[in-house]
Amino acid sequence: MLKFVFHCNLFLIIVTGFFLISCEPTTGPQKPMLEEVSEAEIPTQDLVKQLDSEDVFIRSQATIQLGSRKEKKAIPKLRTLLNDKEPGVRAGAAIALGDLEDKESTTSITRLLSEDKENPKDVYLDALARMKDARAGSKIVPLLDASDSTLRLQAVDTLVQIRAKDQGEAIVSLARKNRDREKDKTYAMVIGKLGVKSGESYLLQLTKIEDESPTLAASYLALGRIKSQRGVDLLVTALKAKYSKGKENASLALIEISDPKTIGLTFPLLDVDEPETRMYVTDVLSQIPSQEAGKIALTLLQGDKKYTWGSAAKIIGRQRYSAGREKIEQHLLLESTPERDQFAESLGWLGDKRSISILRKVLVSQSKEGRYGSAWSLGILGAKEALPDLENALKDSDPKLVSYALEAIGSIADPSSLKTLKGLLQDRPKLAPQILSAVALIPGEDARLVLEGSARENDANVYRPALEEIAKRKSKDSIPLLFEFVNGEEGEKRKLSYYALTAITGEHFRTRKDWNEWRAKNIK
């Protein structure tokens, strides 16, 4: 979520999730600055009238709230407020029109981006990002060359948000004229994120300077995003270099390019005595689809170089190379096997239910390794027969194992687990986010009632995640409960209920009055 603070003469504008503005007029008596402004429950029709208020504070707040509520009736007036004498009002109107995706306002907002000297450019960039109108791209591209690095980054983000792919040639042309290594990072980012294939030569040129800089790392990542076949060899070489961020981005790039020749080029690197390189090489070999990778990994597992076994197990699992299952199971049962959790997770990826008995055996053991991966895989395999073992693991003193067990129980999603989950919630309310996440995955009315009962609790650690999961579940059966909170006296629960109702109904209201009017018309 974007969050920034900017000043406009005597204005202080704080921008957060639904944009709240605290501002002072440039003329007239000043009001004390507010450290925090909360959205008042003002009916939408009253907010529309407030756009004509002579009080700049009221006018500014009304613009933002109407945009947040997606109130299209306000569009004509908001357009006129783009020319308001007060900079905060202009800024609020631009953000609101962006939220409303009123593309007829794009030209006016891009004009303000260029001409408004009282508001910072980033507010108009944010408005255009919300607008998602690619026509604004040509006015944003020049900002890629701005001296302010933060402004450059926001220009990149805006061009990506509006999908300004038609500006690719203009961006590459500007990039080729650049002589500032720091700005090269900006161009590499935008070329990669927009997938500008004509920028390949420029990106390859940037990688010739091996300065372990953010620019070099960004260039590697961009080569992956444009799927540069010409970049494969140098990206493999980068995996062997000392630059950690370069290794990471090179591995991500190779995965995106997914050139089959990468398999043969990278497998020898598993034999290097450098764990970080092996980790990134393993990621590459695991995620580029290739049965050949699984086959070669099995040969490593049959060898005596134990430091390669964990990588081999992961590759076999992620490539779903079923011929390696029995060897994986044999190694998992041996306490002397290094990185046993990798072996256990591999069985989950392979997806063969014949592995369930072995995974259960490891889970209930007191081994230092293998239990986390076993719990995870039992969830992936939907092993209902393992529920007693997983529920018993919830009593363990290891919080990490408890977390894995909860995730697995949620994945299995059997109603029989509800009793255990309810008991755990009573005993350990601080685990409510994880517990209720598991409950929410279980189908049926009983699970819904557990969530609703948790939402009624007084403990914020419990009712907040409960209302979040109710929103995700999107069951219309929870609407009556949510309206209890809408009309109740608990302010936070009322606000959270607004968002849950929006998730369930698709409506965007932010006041008790508006929600109740909608309910009267739509729910009998």
Side-chain angles (χ1 to χ4, degrees), residues 115-128:
E115 299 176 4
D116 191 340
K117 305 304 180 186
E118 294 182 283
N119 281 319
K121 294 184 183 297
D122 52 12
V123 70
Y124 295 121
L125 284 175
D126 189 56
L128 292 169

Side-chain angles (χ1 to χ4, degrees), residues 17 48 65 90 106 124 127 135 216 298 315 335 352-353 382 472 474 512:
V48 174
Q65 292 193 37
R90 295 196 298 274
T106 298
Y124 295 121
R135 294 177 302 166
L216 181 62
L298 181 55
I315 293 165
E335 292 210 18
D352 193 322
K353 290 184 179 292
K472 290 179 184 176
K474 296 184 179 181
R512 184 190 324 224

Side-chain angles (χ1 to χ4, degrees), residues 252 255 258 282-290 314 318-319:
L252 293 171
I255 292 166
S258 286
T282 300
D283 287 343
V284 171
L285 293 169
S286 297
Q287 295 184 58
I288 297 176
S290 168
K314 182 175 181 178
R318 291 298 301 271
Q319 295 290 358

